[in-house]
Amino acid sequence: MGNSHSRAPSAGLDSGHAPTTPVIHRKRSRAFSALTLGCASAPYAASLPSYREYPSREDHSFSDRDEKRSLNDPPPLYAISTTPDIIEDVAADAYKTFLKQYPQYQLTWILDALRRSDFARLDRNGETYVDYMGGSLYPESLIRVHTGFLQRNILGNTHSVSNTSRLSAACASEARQAVLSFFRAPPGYTVVFTANATGALKLVGEAFPFGPGSAYVLGADSHNSVHGIRQFAKGRGAEVCYIESTAVGGFDVAEAKATLARHRPRGDGGTPPSLFAMTGQSNISNSKNPLSMVAFAASQGYCTLLDAAALAPTSVISLTETPVDAMAISFYKMFGFPTGVGALVVKESFLARLERPWFAGGTVDVVQAPGTIVTMAAELHERFEDGTINYLNLPAITDGLRFLSAYLPFLPLRLSSLTRHLITSLSELRHDVAGTPVAQILSRRPSKTVKTVGEQSDTGSVVALLFLSPSGQMIPNSFIEYAASRQNISLRTGCMCNPGGAASLLGLRDAMAELPCDATLHKFERRMGRELGVVRISLGLASDFRDVWHVIQFAKSLCDTAARTAMWEEWLGDRTGVAL
């Protein structure tokens, strides 16, 4: 009548009828073992769960030696050179100059080894990938380990008690624990698997008990999935209150505290609760909002929600130090694979306060039909996981988190150095004839110099900018994206689903405030007389000096009148062909 088998793998099973199926160890690869033991900082390596025994049918023809050979592990890290494969003499000279300015970059040599072992396809294909905010790249070893596991095992729908279902449920349980361990969650947290961070945010928005007298407070520099929660708040009679963005994104802490204090819940017991949603890191402005604001909002009586989709891939988040009520993440943004899986990492006490507007398969125990009686699933997380979870890909979450934990301590140092170099280099470029700037940096620049492994940066690794013509006019972003793709550079243009952040960077806050109800992007651009949006360059897990160097070379080609004109005419020709 509901989901009578949606329980933990061993719950409700008579020990006298326990299956006698042999068990196998879900082994990690040698590469993962080396990383976890030799590279990860102690808090990460110690906190991630070890592989457990799962009930499954054993393939006796598949030996340990065969398993290791089939995984085709990369060579040991110590056997790999630590000097990037820079063939061009000019690039090699530039790299030497870069190292003189950022000698601490050499402490991240292990990421150069990673580039060779897991991301060699970038160099084989001649691709410069600088869209890590759009999605991280998957490490090849993660795909090998995951596909090997799928080839050796049989997984079934978790809503049963068969051997295949028990294995899937065990993998799901392990993935849940891996998420909690990775984010250092204290007891009282659970994990709800969703399709992505947007799905996690929607779960909170649609079920939060807004009402007259309560408020939804959020920053203007937020993703549309955070803005979208205002529809649920307004629909239930709550007030929607914005914290204005600064000119370079994020919010001013004093203004944020004043806004939260001004709209804080009355605390009389009869008023519906209020919600503060904070963006950990902007996906367009490169600003990080201080996580200490979570504690301040909680002290004012707010429930708290953290959008960590852009923050989690390159920053350490400890839920022990920042006990937010709920946090939304997407795993493909962290380590590239799998897509279609995100999570709401949430306090069980907060989850119990949410009021879902419906129920579905997987979320209930008993449903009266016809009738009105509904008994929700006993496990809190099951009540929010509609239908069947993505059980085939959940083992990759455990492996991906273990993989990222080994390299995460090195990323802020590496990416901060590369981002600083990129911003400085682009800012110095000038047009060959007019001598005017080629680029206008709009996003927040790092103010802190990261010098040691494990140290955190004060911004992300995003550069939002406009390219300018010799007369100082904006070069259309559509041309930039076309020209970059012709040079095998993957970047992104537009407003990045963050209208508040984009408006702040572009100086359009007043124009945004005056938008008519029937506004469209086309009408807005016609009114402003140009394309709207920015060029976004974002670095991540596999980025190295060569990527930044290629972006700088692309920008230099825009300085050259002849080269720029040739690209422009080619672009116009392609546009004409498409129109015809």
Side-chain angles (χ1 to χ4, degrees):
M1 291 190 294
N3 296 294
S4 58
H5 297 301
S6 58
R7 295 289 184 272
S10 60
L13 293 177
D14 190 322
S15 59
H17 296 84
T20 59
T21 309
V23 297
I24 63 169
H25 291 276
R26 182 168 166 253
K27 296 184 176 69
R28 72 184 73 181
S29 72
R30 286 176 297 168
F32 279 6
S33 298
L35 294 178
T36 304
L37 295 176
C39 305
S41 58
Y44 280 100
S47 63
L48 288 175
S50 60
Y51 290 112
R52 294 193 290 245
E53 294 183 343
Y54 299 131
S56 177
R57 301 193 180 279
E58 183 175 7
D59 182 357
H60 295 283
S61 65
F62 197 97
S63 68
D64 287 351
R65 180 176 300 178
D66 292 332
E67 176 183 23
K68 292 178 181 178
R69 188 162 58 240
S70 71
L71 289 177
N72 191 27
D73 288 328
L77 296 179
Y78 57 78
I80 305 176
S81 169
T82 62
T83 304
D85 296 324
I86 298 178
I87 300 175
E88 303 95 335
D89 291 338
V90 177
D93 291 340
Y95 183 59
K96 292 177 182 177
T97 302
F98 167 77
L99 289 181
K100 289 180 180 179
Q101 187 171 6
Y102 300 97
Q104 65 270 26
Y105 181 84
Q106 297 176 89
L107 297 174
T108 67
W109 63 267
I110 192 173
L111 295 175
D112 291 317
L114 175 66
R115 172 78 171 232
R116 288 186 179 84
S117 65
D118 278 84
F119 300 97
R121 62 189 186 276
L122 285 169
D123 303 310
R124 285 196 304 267
N125 294 325
E127 187 71 26
T128 298
Y129 187 84
V130 285
D131 188 25
Y132 286 86
M133 273 291 106
S136 186
L137 296 178
Y138 55 83
E140 293 168 16
S141 59
L142 175 60
I143 304 302
R144 287 195 298 268
V145 169
H146 184 59
T147 54
F149 177 72
L150 293 180
Q151 288 169 350
R152 296 189 304 276
N153 294 280
I154 305 171
L155 287 83
N157 193 306
T158 55
H159 297 153
S160 183
V161 292
S162 65
N163 290 335
T164 58
S165 297
R166 287 161 59 86
L167 176 57
S168 296
C171 290
S173 177
E174 183 188 39
R176 249 181 263 278
Q177 185 56 47
V179 173
L180 294 175
S181 298
F182 184 86
F183 292 109
R184 306 175 187 181
Y189 278 88
T190 189
V191 175
V192 176
F193 287 117
T194 62
N196 42 41
T198 292
L201 293 166
K202 184 184 177 185
L203 274 182
V204 175
E206 69 180 4
F208 192 81
F210 291 112
S214 67
Y216 176 48
V217 181
L218 69 159
D221 184 5
S222 298
H223 193 275
N224 274 334
S225 302
V226 177
H227 293 299
I229 294 176
R230 74 188 187 194
Q231 300 299 96
F232 297 115
K234 290 192 299 182
R236 292 192 172 193
E239 183 182 10
V240 177
C241 311
Y242 272 100
I243 304 170
E244 282 291 345
S245 172
T246 72
V248 289
F251 54 62
D252 177 76
V253 172
E255 181 180 346
K257 289 183 175 181
T259 302
L260 287 167
R262 191 160 53 246
H263 300 280
R264 66 175 174 266
R266 289 196 293 267
D268 56 10
T271 304
S274 295
L275 178 65
F276 171 53
M278 189 178 81
T279 297
Q281 178 186 315
S282 171
N283 69 332
I284 188 170
S285 72
N286 201 39
S287 295
K288 285 184 177 181
N289 291 315
L291 296 181
S292 59
M293 287 299 301
V294 169
F296 177 82
S299 73
Q300 299 294 302
Y302 289 88
C303 296
T304 53
L305 171 63
L306 177 65
D307 177 9
L311 181 67
T314 59
S315 301
V316 172
I317 302 174
S318 170
L319 293 176
T320 298
E321 298 176 2
T322 306
V324 66
D325 288 319
M327 179 178 73
I329 54 173
S330 281
F331 295 109
Y332 78 95
K333 289 185 180 290
M334 298 174 67
F335 39 83
F337 178 86
T339 56
V341 184
L344 183 70
V345 188
V346 57
K347 288 181 179 178
E348 293 178 330
S349 58
F350 176 76
L351 207 57
R353 299 179 65 181
L354 301 185
E355 303 168 353
R356 296 214 66 189
W358 82 315
F359 59 85
T363 67
V364 292
D365 187 31
V366 174
V367 176
Q368 182 188 46
T372 59
I373 297 173
V374 178
T375 303
M376 302 304 292
E379 293 286 344
L380 275 173
H381 66 258
E382 289 184 350
R383 301 178 188 180
F384 290 82
E385 292 176 341
D386 297 335
T388 300
I389 58 177
N390 194 342
Y391 60 87
L392 287 180
N393 280 331
L394 292 184
I397 302 303
T398 303
D399 292 334
L401 290 172
R402 179 173 289 111
F403 182 95
L404 183 60
S405 71
Y407 295 105
L408 187 60
F410 299 89
L411 287 174
L413 172 57
R414 186 179 188 85
L415 299 180
S416 176
S417 300
L418 292 174
T419 302
R420 282 175 168 271
H421 176 68
L422 178 61
I423 291 173
T424 300
S425 300
L426 292 175
S427 300
E428 292 174 349
L429 294 180
R430 295 293 183 271
H431 283 284
D432 56 353
V433 177
T436 53
V438 173
Q440 179 185 2
I441 308 298
L442 302 174
S443 52
R444 189 179 294 273
R445 304 179 184 221
S447 60
K448 174 185 176 182
T449 301
V450 181
K451 296 183 177 180
T452 60
V453 173
E455 188 179 356
Q456 299 301 294
S457 59
D458 62 339
T459 67
S461 51
V462 173
V463 179
L465 71 154
L466 297 176
F467 286 104
L468 307 176
S469 68
S471 64
Q473 299 298 309
M474 169 189 166
I475 298 177
N477 289 335
S478 52
F479 165 73
I480 296 299
E481 194 156 22
Y482 172 86
S485 67
R486 299 292 288 177
Q487 297 190 26
N488 296 330
I489 297 176
S490 296
L491 48 74
R492 188 167 172 184
T493 66
C495 292
M496 316 305 158
C497 298
N498 188 333
S504 296
L505 297 185
L506 295 169
L508 299 177
R509 281 184 290 187
D510 291 341
M512 178 73 74
E514 297 171 358
L515 278 179
C517 295
D518 63 345
T520 65
L521 178 59
H522 179 65
K523 290 180 180 179
F524 198 7
E525 288 183 333
R526 288 187 61 185
R527 176 186 171 192
M528 304 311 300
R530 58 184 174 89
E531 289 183 359
L532 296 179
V534 302
V535 178
R536 186 182 71 184
I537 299 165
S538 52
L539 308 178
L541 180 60
S543 295
D544 68 4
F545 178 80
R546 287 168 294 183
D547 298 321
V548 170
W549 187 80
H550 285 138
V551 170
I552 295 169
Q553 298 313 299
F554 166 69
K556 285 182 177 180
S557 71
L558 299 175
C559 301
D560 185 281
T561 301
R564 186 180 65 254
T565 301
M567 284 190 290
W568 184 269
E569 291 176 351
E570 182 181 325
W571 174 62
L572 290 178
D574 273 18
R575 283 169 58 110
T576 302
V578 170
L580 291 174

